[in-house]
Amino acid sequence: MALVLWFVLAPLWFLLDGWLAAQLPVRCDLAAALCLTLGFATRASAVPALLACGALGRAALEDGDLSLHFLALGIPVAVLLPARSLFDERSFVVRAVACGALALAVPRLTVAFAELSGQSAAPVSPGLGGVLATMVLGPLAARGLGRLPPLRTFRADRPLRPGVAP
Amino acid sequence: MGSRTHQPFPVALYAGLVVALLGLVRPGPLRAVESVAASVALLPLRAWAAVVGPRPGAAAAPAEARELAGERVTAALRQLERAASRRPAAIPVDWWPVVARVVDRRGPGEGRTERLVLDLPRAMLGPRALDSVTRDGTLLGFLDPHGLPPTDADGRPEPLAGLAQVRLVDDAGGPFGPRRVPVRVDAGERGSFEALVEPAAPIDRWPLRLAMLGDPYLAAEVRQGPFAVWTSGLEDDPLGALPVGLRLGTLRVFGYRDGPERALVIGLYVEPDQRADALAFVVLWVADRALAQRAQRAALDARPLAGGRLDEVQLLRLDVAGATRERWLATCAGAVLRPLPRGAAVVDGERLLGVLDAAGLGSGVVAAFGQPGRRWSLTLVPATAERAPVELRARCVARDGDLVTLAADEPPPVELTRGAQLATGGDGPDLPAFVWIGPVLATDGARFVVRHVDPLRQPPQAWVHTRAAGGAAR
């Protein structure tokens, strides 16, 4: 049920992204916040389905098809998931750095895959202001997204890192 | 130490990425799933549009302007028909031209077109059609002896079944392999030599290459042209007679340059005069005047949207992130479950507003014309009736209010763009050529500025155009 709810709510997350981009002087990339939520705060087994819903929501509103957005969002998530074992994913610094990297990576991956497949996608540079805004606001947005229904249903148990007592 | 509670390397995600990569290369099977899923995912937005969405209002463009545009487009079509059907010297006088609209371009990927589907049933032409297909005296390819089959390569129903199909000269995948064309190359003062032209490899810079050189010593001495390449014909060609003297393109030399007079030639190629991915019309030749006239009436209607279905839609503006900034949710005003195809034209009368980018049952998301990054096939209709319309490919660079800046792949002549009107060049069956876009205001090399009504200013009355099912459009 939670997955169905996320399926219909995912486009609204990207609509919120567009609405905020129109209202704020600098853009906080909510696609980066979604990747952060899926990579750091979601059960790994649930990630593919949640990612497919997110990619579909993004494909419905922006240039490019489902495959393109699944790859553009999924590759950063695939990098973040194993990184849980290496870093304290609850640390704000780690989350901010990850958000900054995602704000740079997701648009570039989108354009790269669009060029590879001959689809339309205008290159977007987030700019320094956009990256900083995503570093500050992205972790907060990701925390909110992960704690609210429907994604809270899929929250990961805290992983164990080497040297951390169970 | 307890057991880990998460999987460090999620195999399911990696498998999903591989499937997505395959879907990127071969999008067909995933498209149908995506269309249905998008219809469901857009349901909350449809509900929102039903509550707050605008009702169809007055058309944004005055009726007189649309009428004038319609007249101009009709006149331009006639201009094009007259210009395109001029008989090249290579075509015998007892063959008659049929100007046919290109309804779809097919090939292995973006930027590489190998086949053109024409808006004309193949059965109408019968066996009395010349298999050479031309445009402005240039050989483009060969008419397939059969119409499009009822199913495609994946076994799905072919919506354009029965329509005539042209295999371009660079199509390597015909039923009998590529058709090699015997040519003669005028190499300037050094004389001329004979050769065969065949499709080049995908990695090559030009789509055609010269093989089986009649005089390899002369060919090795050839410098960068421009030297024209003409069909020369073979006696007893097993694949059928080929008119002698049709232009094929321009000779291109690939190799190492060592000073202005010396070069190490690695390969000789031909650059076609006509870009297949921009072509909106081609000329067929028929050995029966009455048949040619009948086929011409069927092939070229003055109204580009005639014969198709127009579904009235309501538009709701959506803010989106990224360079596009905005999209429009189109909701069918009538049947709520009417399937709307991706890539269909969204029009206001004769004028293009945009194209359906994500589409499903009864709703879709419209990308307005002028959103940055999108590439379009376009037709430039010159202001003077003496000049024929020109097809080109261009990418939208920016939009500022009503003004859209486009960058053409190849700069159109300045005298053509001054005072010209811009229309579509056809991008798929549901977005036909010659739907009016707006007047060209300024030109700077390859860039030109077009006035296109900003849909943001007033929610326009809009319709989604879908090509009529089956082979014959009208």
Side-chain angles (χ1 to χ4, degrees):
Chain A
M1 187 60 199
L3 187 63
V4 174
L5 194 58
W6 171 240
F7 177 69
V8 292
L9 287 183
L12 303 184
W13 178 255
F14 291 103
L15 268 186
L16 177 66
D17 190 14
W19 184 78
L20 285 176
Q23 307 303 318
L24 298 176
V26 287
R27 184 188 167 210
C28 167
D29 190 347
L30 293 191
L34 173 63
C35 289
L36 191 71
T37 307
L38 295 179
F40 275 178
T42 309
R43 280 202 309 272
S45 58
V47 165
L50 297 175
L51 188 63
C53 297
L56 184 72
R58 198 168 185 241
L61 296 174
E62 297 185 20
D63 283 329
D65 62 12
L66 174 62
S67 306
L68 186 151
H69 290 288
F70 191 89
L71 287 164
L73 299 175
I75 288 175
V77 173
V79 172
L80 288 180
L81 272 170
R84 281 186 201 179
S85 307
L86 304 175
F87 303 105
D88 181 3
E89 79 282 0
R90 293 180 309 164
S91 156
F92 185 83
V93 176
V94 169
R95 287 174 157 249
V97 171
C99 262
L102 287 166
L104 290 169
V106 172
R108 280 170 173 73
L109 282 170
T110 306
V111 171
F113 283 115
E115 285 176 359
L116 186 71
S117 59
Q119 299 183 48
S120 299
V124 184
S125 173
L128 183 62
V131 173
L132 290 176
T134 308
M135 288 176 77
V136 174
L137 299 175
L140 301 176
R143 180 156 299 190
L145 181 66
R147 292 196 171 187
L148 292 172
L151 290 194
R152 68 181 296 174
T153 315
F154 305 101
R155 274 181 75 181
D157 298 326
R158 192 180 161 220
L160 296 174
R161 285 173 297 283
V164 178
Chain B
M1 199 162 169
S3 63
R4 288 178 179 275
T5 56
H6 82 290
Q7 185 188 0
F9 293 99
V11 178
L13 176 59
Y14 296 156
L17 291 174
V18 172
V19 171
L21 205 53
L22 291 174
L24 207 61
V25 178
R26 200 178 168 86
L30 274 181
R31 278 274 160 82
V33 178
E34 185 181 345
S35 173
V36 175
S39 305
V40 179
L42 290 173
L43 280 177
L45 288 178
R46 286 187 73 173
W48 177 249
V51 175
V52 304
R55 297 290 179 268
E64 305 82 54
R66 285 190 291 147
E67 210 166 280
L68 182 65
E71 287 172 13
R72 292 203 65 158
V73 163
T74 306
L77 264 169
R78 295 295 164 235
Q79 271 170 256
L80 184 133
E81 190 183 336
R82 276 197 300 275
S85 59
R86 276 186 208 118
R87 184 191 314 277
I91 302 288
V93 290
D94 51 350
W95 291 88
W96 303 93
V98 177
V99 181
R101 195 192 302 262
V102 174
V103 75
D104 202 7
R105 306 179 186 92
R106 297 185 176 185
E110 174 80 7
R112 181 132 187 161
T113 301
E114 291 185 343
R115 285 168 292 141
L116 303 175
V117 182
L118 308 182
D119 199 3
L120 184 68
R122 178 65 183 90
M124 176 176 266
L125 296 170
R128 304 205 66 192
L130 189 67
D131 66 346
S132 301
V133 179
T134 67
R135 175 70 194 273
D136 301 335
T138 298
L139 176 70
L140 298 175
F142 303 97
L143 187 64
D144 209 272
H146 309 288
L148 278 177
T151 54
D152 64 12
D154 296 326
R156 288 170 303 184
E158 170 59 71
L160 303 177
L163 293 188
Q165 176 178 231
V166 178
R167 292 188 181 277
L168 299 174
V169 179
D170 60 318
D171 178 19
F176 307 109
R179 176 158 180 182
R180 295 179 174 85
V181 178
V183 296
R184 177 176 50 79
V185 181
D186 289 331
E189 297 170 353
R190 296 177 187 274
S192 65
F193 62 92
E194 306 282 328
L196 276 183
V197 165
E198 63 183 11
I203 198 171
D204 287 327
R205 189 169 168 187
W206 295 285
L208 299 169
R209 73 172 166 222
L210 285 182
M212 297 285 290
L213 303 167
D215 185 348
Y217 296 104
L218 176 57
E221 290 296 313
V222 166
R223 301 289 175 269
Q224 195 77 19
F227 297 132
V229 178
W230 306 87
T231 57
S232 61
L234 282 179
E235 278 186 29
D236 303 326
D237 190 336
L239 296 175
L242 183 69
V244 178
L246 283 175
R247 198 180 152 103
L248 197 64
T250 305
L251 182 72
R252 297 293 178 205
V253 179
F254 185 75
Y256 294 100
R257 192 187 298 277
D258 182 17
E261 285 300 315
R262 286 174 53 80
L264 176 61
V265 177
I266 295 175
L268 294 176
Y269 294 85
V270 179
E271 181 178 15
D273 287 343
Q274 307 278 356
R275 286 195 52 158
D277 57 349
L279 276 175
F281 296 90
V282 299
V283 182
L284 309 171
W285 297 92
V286 180
D288 179 334
R289 189 173 190 177
L291 173 62
Q293 287 171 341
R294 268 203 316 279
Q296 187 60 87
R297 277 196 297 275
L300 201 62
D301 196 299
R303 296 156 300 154
L305 301 175
R309 197 183 71 209
L310 290 171
D311 290 313
E312 190 175 350
V313 290
Q314 295 174 13
L315 297 178
L316 176 70
R317 184 176 184 272
L318 306 172
D319 280 319
V320 296
T324 53
R325 311 296 289 175
E326 67 178 14
R327 283 280 201 267
W328 294 84
L329 178 73
T331 312
C332 253
V336 291
L337 290 179
R338 171 90 72 198
L340 300 177
R342 186 187 174 110
V346 180
V347 297
D348 164 26
E350 298 285 334
R351 184 187 50 152
L352 182 82
L353 294 176
V355 63
L356 269 185
D357 207 25
L361 299 174
S363 67
V365 177
V366 181
F369 177 81
Q371 292 191 343
R374 185 173 287 270
R375 292 171 63 78
W376 295 83
S377 297
L378 301 167
T379 309
L380 202 60
V381 183
T384 54
E386 292 78 37
R387 302 298 296 265
V390 175
E391 297 114 311
L392 51 97
R393 288 277 294 173
R395 182 172 55 83
C396 287
V397 178
R399 171 164 207 141
D400 182 12
D402 281 355
L403 304 181
V404 176
T405 305
L406 295 137
D409 290 354
E410 289 165 11
V414 175
E415 67 271 17
L416 284 186
T417 53
R418 201 172 290 127
Q421 299 282 330
L422 196 69
T424 57
D427 274 308
D430 303 309
L431 176 48
F434 269 84
V435 181
W436 180 58
I437 292 172
V440 177
L441 299 182
T443 312
D444 179 16
R447 292 197 170 203
F448 54 101
V449 178
V450 181
R451 185 188 296 283
H452 178 254
V453 67
D454 184 359
L456 178 69
R457 191 178 293 166
Q458 185 179 7
Q461 210 166 0
W463 289 265
V464 173
H465 170 263
T466 314
R467 192 178 189 283
R474 46 188 79 90

